[in-house]
Every structure is written in C-alpha cells, then in structure tokens.
Amino acid sequence: MKKLLLGLSFSAAIATSFTHAAGRDSISIVGSSTVFPFSKVVAERFGKTTNFKSPTVESTGTGGGFKEFCKGLGVNHPDISNASRRIKQSELDMCKANGVADVIEVLIGYDGIVLANSVKAKQVKLSRKDIFLALAKKVPNPDGSKTLVDNPYKTWKDVNPSLPASKIEVLGPPTTSGTRDAFVELAMEGGCKKVDWIGALKDSDKGRFKEICHILREDGAFIEAGENDNLIVQKLDANPNALGIFGFSFLDQNADKVQASSIDGSDPTFDTIADGSYPVSRPLYFYVKKGHMEVIPGIKEYLAEFTSEKAWGDEGYLTDKGMIPLAKEKRNQIAKNVKDAVVLKSL
Amino acid sequence: MNNSDSMSVAERVEKNLAKRYRAEKRFRIFGMISVSIGIIALIGLFTQIISNGAGAFFQTYVKLDITFDADELGISDPTDPDQLMIGNYDGIVRDALRERFPSVTKRREKRDLYSLVSIGASYRLQSDLRQNPQLLGTTQTLWVLADDDVDVYFKSREDEPFIGRLNDLQVEWIESLAKSNELKTKFNTIFFTSGDSAEPEQAGILGALLGSLLTLLVTLLLSFPIGVAAAIYLEEYAKSNKFTDFIEVNINNLAAVPSVIFGLLGLAIFLNFFNMPRSIPLVGGFVLTLMTLPTIIISSRAAIKAVPPSIRQAALGMGASKMQMILHHVLPLALPGMLTGAIIGMAQALGETAPLLMIGMVAFIVELPGSVADPATVLPVQIFLWADSPERAFTERTSAAIMVLLAFLITMNTFAIWLRKKLERRW
C-alpha cells in the first residue's frame, strides 16, 4: 500500500510539474501546410544564427492551426499560427473568448495555385470561365436560359471549342486542404462570376451563389488525389491527358515533368503572381500572440528574422523556396508594424 | 454394408487415390503461390526503396579556397562567441566562389553562382573557426557542402541529368567544376548525425530516430508491466462473471479501435486536462501505451493460458502460494509468448503517425531531443514530412529514411527473438 501511495504521489508530481511547465524555451508554431516550408526555413536559420532554440513548426492546416492557437494564452498553447488565408471573424471571436485578445497579423507574401499537365502533352490555355464550366457540379444551361443543369461536358472541346478534344480529368486536393479552398474561391468563383446572372446572385443571394460556384463535380472528372502535391505530380507524369491542381512551389521544383496551363492569358511565373496579373494566387499570413512576446524567449527576434530583407525580400531565401514576395513599400510597412507590435483591431 | 458386390473397399480407395494425390498437390501449390506472391512483393518493395534511396547516402561537396578574412567576417577576436555568432560567413564563401569564377560580374548571375553552395557551408565555417581560432586570416582549401540542386544534378549526371531549377549558366559552372574534379561525393554523415532541416542537403534522420527511441522506451516501460499485470489478474485471479466478461469484450474491442482515436484521447487528457506540453515523446509514449495495451494484454493472456495446468497444480501441491506459483512458474514459462506480443505491439507503435498528429509530434524540429520532455518527432512522421516536401532531393532521403526505419524494426525484432530464445524453457 505504501508503495502504491508513493507511486501515486510520484505520478501526481510529474503531472503538476507540467501544469507549471515554465520550461518551454522554444517557440511553438502551428498552421497551414502551404506556409510550413517557409516557416521551416526561417525557424532553422533563426535557430542556427542566434542563441535561441529553433522553433517547433507543425503543419496542421490553416483551420486546425487557428483552433489550437485560439485555445488560450499560456505556454501550453502555440505562439504563432500560419495561415494561407486571412483569419475569419469567427476565429478571431473564438480567440477573444479564450483570452487571446491581442493578435498581431503579418502578411508575408503570395502563393500561386497552378493547373498543370505533363510536359509530354501540349500546354493548355484556359480561362477561369473554362475552369468553372469544366469542373462545377452544376453549370448554366447550354441553351442560354437562366437554369442550371448537371454538368454535361465530357471533353475540354465541349467547354470551349478552342481547347483540345481530350477528356476532362483533373486531379486536385481534397476539401480539407487550404489549396482546395483557395482554388475554389479564386478560380471557380472567378469563372462563375463571368456568367452574368450568376454574378448578380452574389449580392442578392449569397448562399445560392456559393452553392453554384463552390461545388465541384463528383462524376469522376474531378479526382481527389490526396493532400500530397508530389503524388499529383507523379500521377500527371504517368497520365499525359490529366491536369492537376497544386501549389506554385511544386511547379518550380518539377519543371522537368509538368508545365503550367496559362489562365486568362497569363502563365504563372514569379513576376505574374507578384504583380497580380496571374489570377489564381493567394496571400499568406501568420498570426502572433502579443501576450506571449514577453513570456517565450525569441519571438521578437524570430519576427525580426522573418521580416528582414534577407528572408522575405525580392532576393531573400524565402523566394528560393517558392514564396512570392510583397512589394517593397508593403514590406517596409508591415515590418514596421511588426516591430511596433501593432495589434489586429478588426477585419 | 452389402454393396461390396460391385467394389471392394480397397478398390474404391485405389480408384480415388490419384484424385486425392492431385488435390493434395494443388493444395500445396496454392500455398507455394501465396508464399511466392509475398516474397515477390517484398523483393519489389525492397529494390524500389533501395534503388531510390541509395543516392541519399552520398552527398556532393565543392572544393573552394576559403580565406578567413577578418574584415569580411567582421570578427576581430575569434574567441568571442558573440562575434562568432554574427560573423559574415556567407560573405567569405561568396568571395571564394567569385574568385573561382572571376568572369561572373552581373548581379543576377552572381546570385545564381552563390546558390551553388549550401547555407550549411557557412555553419560549418563558423564551427571550424570556433574550434580553431588560429584559422582567422588564413586561406584554407576546404570541401564545402553543395546545394541540393547541385547534388541532384551531379549524382544523375552520368545517365540522365536532372536539371530542375538550374539554369544553363549554372549547369555550365557545375560541369566546369566537375571536369576539374572540384566536385565529389562523400559518405553522407550529415544524414546520420543531425536533425531535420528545410534544406535537403542538411537534413538528417538522427532527430527522428532518437524521438522514436524515446517514445518507444516510454511506451515499453509503461505498457509491458501494466499489460502483463492485467493479463495475470484476469487469467489467474478474476472470477469469471458478467463483469470480467464485459472487461474482456472491451479489451478485444479496443484492439480494433483506429489509432487516431487514441490521439484524440491523448489530446483531451494529457494536453488539455493535465496541461502537458505539445510535441514531446513522453506524451507520445503515453498515447502509444494506450494503443498497445490491448495487444499486449491479449497475447499475454494467451501465453498464460498455454502454460499447462499440471505445472500450476504441481507448484500448489508442493506448498507454493498462489503468488509464488505465478511468479516462479507461470510467468517464466509464459514470458516468451508475452514478449512476442510486446514486440508486435511495439512494431505497431513504431509505425504510427495518426495518434501523434493530434498531440503535435508531426512537426518540423531541428534540434536533437535530449530527454523525453524535449520536442521531438518520430521516424514515420519524418518519412511523411519528407515525402510531402517539394524539393527533389528529399525523394531519395525519403527512401533512405524508410531503410533506417526498417533497420530499426529489424534490430528491435532480432533483439526480441534473441531474448525469447534465451528465456525459453522446455517442459
């Protein structure tokens, strides 16, 4: 019995030592898998060039990151959350409700989403409207009336006579992916708006507008190929007729296997994404708890490293990893805000 | 039976004999086919992994004449750690590159040139200088780490060169370095001695290996004693009634619960309730203990059941107490079987990623974990993270990491088999 009591008190001691857990001396980062590679590089360089430990970076997805991030203040909760979209009002409210009142928002750059096929086939020139018509579950009636029909298109030529007569076959990420969200929002919605009467719905009936624009077809033309972008690249290599959806950095690294389709007349390159002429690109952010800056060592220095020219500048090491930098004035502005720890007031 | 008029028993057997032999032969062939399918699949898997991953064990280095110039480095006193920390090591590497290719003058081209050498070169110069302050002011001919793009190109150069992100000029430079033997591959010690990195050429498996080791240690230390004690109680002491039946059914069901559920449980109990930190092997071990317990309990019970009752009766008959009977006779005889169960459980735990996702062990961690309370990741997670990375050089490292995982597993199993052989007792 004595031994049992001893054991119990020992395990209780372990448990309480963690409740105090003043021990965390490294930054904890969670969030988007798109920002993950960029966050990794900064974390590593930061750890190797300062006396602080390298931050721990988790790839939880944007939504999952905010969930952990907004759970509360204290060393058991992450300090920074990466995001491949802006924080939502509901997430900000959740943060506030849990005592995470002061959050610093940092816009870091852009990422392009590309549609690509194997280099063994010809490059495809698409418009956002083509993408919408080819991939939406319901499309406007081809006879011109303001009704919707189940997507009847089988080949790209059916969608637009100038496109090749190959079967519509697009590999893309599943609904849990931020890339999918951004693709739907930017490419599908962008093309959807081009149909006048649906575009008009955006103001009058937002729910219906989203229902039309955001739902991808489920009859086999769009194939959910998993979160792994490398896998999509491999599948494209094996099947020259298929197109795939993935992030720009994977295009950059696999230029020998896949080529990007141009969208609305613009090829995805560093420059077209940075100046906004390539339409399917999205901003990347991270969010910092101001309340942690005094508690966890190194947060200020990490932010300084991330917002330094050698990291996120036009020729910084983040661009080597495929991040598209912001304009110079914007960078200076944000770097200054970060330095002064300006808190996000409202969206 | 009086139908013997048509055929005697011997005749009937005789008639069927050929058919029965044929059936027997078919049956044996089916078995052989199954085994060969397994072997072919295994060979296919292994050749695939080994041919993909063999390249990762070698790493390309560039020969450069590096001058440790005090002004360029901005270091006046090489024994001052603060100065050493912020020294401009990139600068001296760049100087060396410019010296090797003096024709490069344009800004853009210079940038392309600098990208041939890994950032790891700078870290290495820093540690060289720290260990050996006399280097300041001297010029050394050093083999420094090449960038991953150079590495992939140089290794594939013989048959089908992989150009990737390199431009024509960079390829030209690499070719010129290669021709004058200023590029060579060396055994990739970095891979076995460092933690994860965002740059493939600096990424190592040791961090994940230690993480797996620490996590499994926690798992084994908790799950084996608890599992064996539970099995002994259920087999030897518990009365068979509705309640024990209920427990038994539940243990069997738990063995089939998807592992991610245990992760959710771990998140709720250990992280949210006990406020333990994220990403540490201790919590990982707790979660995997929950997962492996049912496996160990079930196999331990089977092992205890297999001990002949005569041994128990003999022990009791000689005046042993029940505890003595269990500790002196049943447990030693059942131990080999229990160990088999424990090894199956451990092997399963070694390969898990899903439950660890929830408690933050699917993470990028550069530093090597020193204790169970340091942030760490595990081998299968490392494989997953590398497989998911865009850089081409991570492809071969992914396969190499799989080999390390397999080697770990084989070592673990060999140890267990050896232990079992040693403990085995015949009766």
Side-chain angles (χ1 to χ4, degrees):
Chain A
M1 198 59 202
K2 248 185 188 167
K3 271 187 186 161
L4 185 73
L5 277 178
L6 211 72
L8 275 180
S9 56
F10 177 68
S11 47
I14 290 183
T16 43
S17 75
F18 281 110
T19 19
H20 293 293
R24 182 146 74 82
D25 51 357
S26 65
I27 305 171
S28 161
I29 303 172
V30 293
S32 162
S33 53
T34 314
V35 185
F36 181 65
F38 310 132
S39 219
K40 271 191 341 189
V41 196
V42 180
E44 187 181 351
R45 298 212 178 202
F46 169 76
K48 287 198 170 146
T49 53
T50 63
N51 288 319
F52 299 103
K53 275 190 155 184
S54 295
T56 302
V57 192
E58 284 178 53
S59 163
T60 59
T62 304
F66 281 131
K67 223 171 129 190
E68 283 302 315
F69 181 76
C70 290
K71 262 191 187 152
L73 284 177
V75 287
N76 302 314
H77 302 289
D79 312 309
I80 295 176
S81 187
N82 296 326
S84 57
R85 57 167 168 77
R86 214 169 172 208
I87 192 168
K88 287 181 189 159
Q89 190 59 51
S90 58
E91 289 161 340
L92 209 56
D93 293 342
M94 185 170 76
C95 268
K96 291 229 161 84
N98 291 328
V100 188
D102 293 338
V103 172
I104 302 165
E105 179 183 66
V106 187
L107 172 65
I108 53 172
Y110 297 100
D111 175 44
I113 295 170
V114 300
L115 260 163
N117 61 352
S118 163
V119 286
K120 291 170 212 152
K122 271 174 83 176
Q123 194 207 13
V124 188
K125 292 186 194 311
L126 296 167
S127 70
R128 274 178 288 174
K129 194 173 169 185
D130 296 336
I131 297 174
F132 166 66
L133 290 178
L135 294 180
K137 187 167 186 206
K138 294 204 181 267
V139 294
N141 200 328
D143 67 13
S145 65
K146 290 188 182 179
T147 51
L148 293 169
V149 291
D150 282 339
N151 197 328
Y153 305 117
K154 294 267 180 281
T155 69
W156 288 100
K157 204 178 170 73
D158 296 342
V159 175
N160 179 346
S162 67
L163 292 171
S166 56
K167 203 174 118 206
I168 299 175
E169 202 180 350
V170 178
L171 305 164
T175 44
T176 46
S177 151
T179 312
R180 165 82 166 257
D181 289 348
F183 174 78
V184 164
E185 216 154 277
L186 297 161
M188 294 289 289
E189 200 179 306
C192 190
K193 268 189 279 191
K194 299 272 162 69
V195 183
D196 292 333
W197 65 271
I198 301 179
L201 275 178
K202 188 170 184 180
D203 302 317
S204 57
D205 187 354
K206 207 157 183 191
R208 178 142 171 76
F209 174 74
K210 277 200 168 164
E211 197 184 308
I212 301 171
C213 300
H214 284 197
I215 298 182
L216 296 181
R217 62 200 286 188
E218 288 152 0
D219 57 357
F222 178 82
I223 303 151
E224 286 192 359
E227 288 260 21
N228 187 332
D229 288 3
N230 270 334
L231 200 68
I232 295 183
V233 171
Q234 278 173 27
K235 286 185 178 166
L236 291 181
D237 192 38
N239 179 1
N241 290 322
L243 285 171
I245 300 166
F246 47 84
F248 178 74
S249 50
F250 284 82
L251 177 75
D252 212 28
Q253 290 278 350
N254 292 288
D256 63 323
K257 284 187 185 157
V258 288
Q259 59 185 346
S261 314
S262 74
I263 296 180
D264 291 343
S266 165
D267 283 326
T269 63
F270 243 84
D271 300 328
T272 55
I273 296 172
D275 68 16
S277 61
Y278 180 74
V280 197
S281 71
R282 58 178 158 172
L284 304 175
Y285 295 90
F286 68 82
Y287 293 83
V288 190
K289 281 177 192 162
K290 194 179 176 187
H292 278 193
M293 288 174 91
E294 302 302 324
V295 187
I296 308 290
I299 295 188
K300 269 185 212 149
E301 290 79 1
Y302 174 80
L303 294 183
E305 171 80 28
F306 213 124
T307 56
S308 68
E309 278 299 304
K310 73 173 184 226
W312 74 348
D314 287 325
E315 297 190 343
Y317 56 75
L318 287 172
T319 61
D320 285 342
K321 289 279 162 195
M323 191 185 81
I324 319 282
L326 303 166
K328 178 109 174 93
E329 306 84 66
K330 190 120 198 200
R331 287 203 300 268
N332 292 342
Q333 176 62 39
I334 293 171
K336 193 175 168 304
N337 285 352
V338 169
K339 204 158 174 240
D340 302 341
V342 178
V343 174
L344 180 65
K345 292 264 165 12
S346 61
L347 295 180
Chain B
M1 299 292 152
N2 54 358
N3 57 350
S4 55
D5 51 324
S6 55
M7 225 185 264
S8 75
V9 176
E11 275 175 324
R12 275 191 293 153
V13 169
E14 192 83 0
K15 194 167 163 248
N16 274 340
L17 205 55
K19 202 173 153 197
R20 281 170 57 198
Y21 275 140
R22 277 202 305 278
E24 175 81 28
K25 208 172 169 188
R26 271 202 303 278
F27 189 62
R28 221 171 53 208
I29 288 175
F30 283 140
M32 274 156 67
I33 289 175
S34 310
V35 171
S36 21
I37 288 176
I39 289 176
I40 289 168
L42 200 65
I43 290 174
L45 182 76
F46 273 41
T47 41
Q48 163 87 11
I49 290 172
I50 291 172
S51 68
N52 275 346
F57 296 115
F58 294 92
Q59 170 66 41
T60 309
Y61 286 79
V62 191
K63 187 175 167 188
L64 285 178
D65 294 324
I66 291 183
T67 310
F68 288 87
D69 186 83
D71 292 337
E72 179 76 38
L73 281 168
I75 295 174
S76 50
D77 174 15
T79 50
D80 176 3
D82 287 338
Q83 280 192 29
L84 276 176
M85 194 59 121
I86 52 165
N88 181 18
Y89 303 97
D90 291 352
I92 55 171
V93 175
R94 287 172 182 184
D95 285 347
L97 277 165
R98 273 204 308 275
E99 218 164 282
R100 172 64 183 77
F101 294 100
S103 61
V104 180
T105 48
K106 283 198 216 103
R107 221 173 101 73
R108 178 83 216 169
E109 286 179 9
K110 274 193 207 162
R111 216 181 147 229
D112 291 341
L113 180 64
Y114 301 154
S115 72
L116 296 184
V117 172
S118 162
I119 174 82
S122 308
Y123 302 143
R124 187 224 151 149
L125 296 182
Q126 185 183 6
S127 77
D128 280 3
L129 196 59
R130 182 177 298 136
Q131 281 162 13
N132 197 355
Q134 294 97 318
L135 284 176
L136 195 68
T138 62
T139 300
Q140 304 285 327
T141 303
L142 297 173
W143 287 94
V144 297
L145 199 57
D147 188 65
D148 56 318
D149 289 328
V150 178
D151 182 49
V152 176
Y153 176 84
F154 186 63
K155 283 185 206 158
S156 64
R157 182 168 161 265
E158 300 293 301
D159 27 87
E160 216 183 301
F162 172 77
I163 300 194
R165 300 194 301 166
L166 298 169
N167 59 32
D168 295 347
L169 211 54
Q170 285 173 310
V171 172
E172 204 177 288
W173 294 327
I174 298 171
E175 283 296 335
S176 123
L177 285 170
K179 285 209 184 79
S180 53
N181 289 326
E182 284 167 283
L183 280 181
K184 73 169 179 193
T185 58
K186 286 203 270 190
F187 183 71
N188 193 354
T189 44
I190 296 170
F191 184 75
F192 294 99
T193 53
S194 53
D196 197 5
S197 167
E199 312 292 338
E201 71 273 11
Q202 292 184 73
I205 196 77
L206 188 62
L209 195 68
L210 288 174
S212 270
L213 207 66
L214 291 169
T215 310
L216 284 185
L217 202 69
V218 174
T219 312
L220 186 68
L221 288 181
L222 287 173
S223 62
F224 193 63
I226 297 177
V228 169
I232 290 177
Y233 180 79
L234 287 173
E235 277 305 313
E236 301 287 342
Y237 288 103
K239 294 188 184 70
S240 106
N241 54 22
K242 284 250 166 69
F243 183 66
T244 43
D245 282 352
F246 176 73
I247 289 181
E248 190 167 343
V249 168
N250 274 294
I251 290 174
N252 290 341
N253 279 341
L254 270 180
V257 166
S259 55
V260 68
I261 308 285
F262 292 106
L264 286 168
L265 190 74
L267 177 69
I269 296 178
F270 302 122
L271 296 195
N272 293 346
F273 186 72
F274 283 113
N275 277 326
M276 292 185 173
R278 290 177 72 79
S279 318
I280 63 168
L282 186 66
V283 179
F286 287 171
V287 169
L288 293 177
T289 300
L290 295 178
M291 198 194 78
T292 42
L293 262 180
T295 316
I296 295 185
I297 295 177
I298 291 170
S299 63
S300 301
R301 290 186 66 180
I304 293 173
K305 263 195 199 122
V307 176
S310 56
I311 289 184
R312 290 189 180 84
Q313 283 152 9
L316 292 175
M318 294 298 285
S321 73
K322 195 155 187 186
M323 191 175 102
Q324 284 172 329
M325 178 266 283
I326 293 168
L327 291 183
H328 297 171
H329 301 281
V330 177
L331 205 54
L333 288 174
L335 207 54
M338 291 173 166
L339 278 176
T340 311
I343 276 307
I344 293 172
M346 287 299 120
Q348 202 185 351
L350 176 66
E352 272 308 333
T353 54
L356 302 179
L357 184 75
M358 296 292 154
I359 55 160
M361 285 185 84
V362 178
F364 171 74
I365 291 153
V366 179
E367 264 111 31
L368 302 175
S371 77
V372 288
D374 284 340
T377 186
V378 293
L379 283 168
V381 167
Q382 191 65 77
I383 292 167
F384 166 71
L385 288 176
W386 284 352
D388 216 21
S389 300
E391 289 84 359
R392 179 62 74 92
F394 271 128
T395 320
E396 56 184 26
R397 278 167 181 78
T398 307
S399 295
I402 295 172
M403 283 189 251
V404 172
L405 177 71
L406 287 175
F408 189 101
L409 194 69
I410 291 169
T411 320
M412 207 167 85
N413 284 349
T414 318
F415 178 68
I417 290 170
W418 174 79
L419 206 64
R420 202 169 60 196
K421 279 260 146 40
K422 211 170 130 80
L423 294 175
E424 206 152 43
R425 278 210 235 156
R426 298 261 160 222
W427 61 76

